[in-house]
Amino acid sequence: MRTIVFFDLPNIYAKDKRNYTLFRRFLINEGFLMMQESVYSKITLNSQQSEYLIERIKRNAPKKGLIQVLNVTESQYAKIIYVIGESKTNIINSEDRLIVL
């Protein structure tokens, strides 16, 4: 399952820029990968983990702007059609997990 976050945050005043930067850093620290500007995605194991993640996003969201979250299955995500550009292949972006003991 994928959790995709779309956001459009104001970026005019210094406080707004700071809120934008803090929210973006929060997403990156949570393990989200940038698909394109203001669109980030993360693999989640199940709907329960996705719901918990959405609650964390709500708690860390700035007061102004627009933030949308979409959950899709891996098979739906795999059907993305690239009209212009191509997938970034240098990013490890799969369900495989690395366990170091």
Side-chain angles (χ1 to χ4, degrees), residues 19-31 40:
N19 288 336
Y20 172 88
T21 302
L22 289 174
F23 183 70
R24 187 176 170 278
R25 284 185 188 159
F26 162 76
L27 291 177
I28 292 169
N29 289 336
E30 285 291 315
Y40 287 73

Side-chain angles (χ1 to χ4, degrees), residues 5 17 21 38 42 55 57-59 71-72 75 88-89 100:
V5 177
K17 288 180 184 180
T21 302
S38 299
K42 178 180 179 174
E55 288 303 316
I57 291 170
K58 287 179 182 178
R59 286 196 306 264
N71 287 321
V72 295
S75 62
K88 295 179 183 177
T89 57
V100 179

Side-chain angles (χ1 to χ4, degrees), residues 14 16 31-32 34 63 65 70 72 74 77 96:
D16 292 336
F32 281 87
M34 185 171 71
K63 301 291 183 221
L70 174 67
V72 295
E74 280 302 305
Y77 183 81
D96 296 339

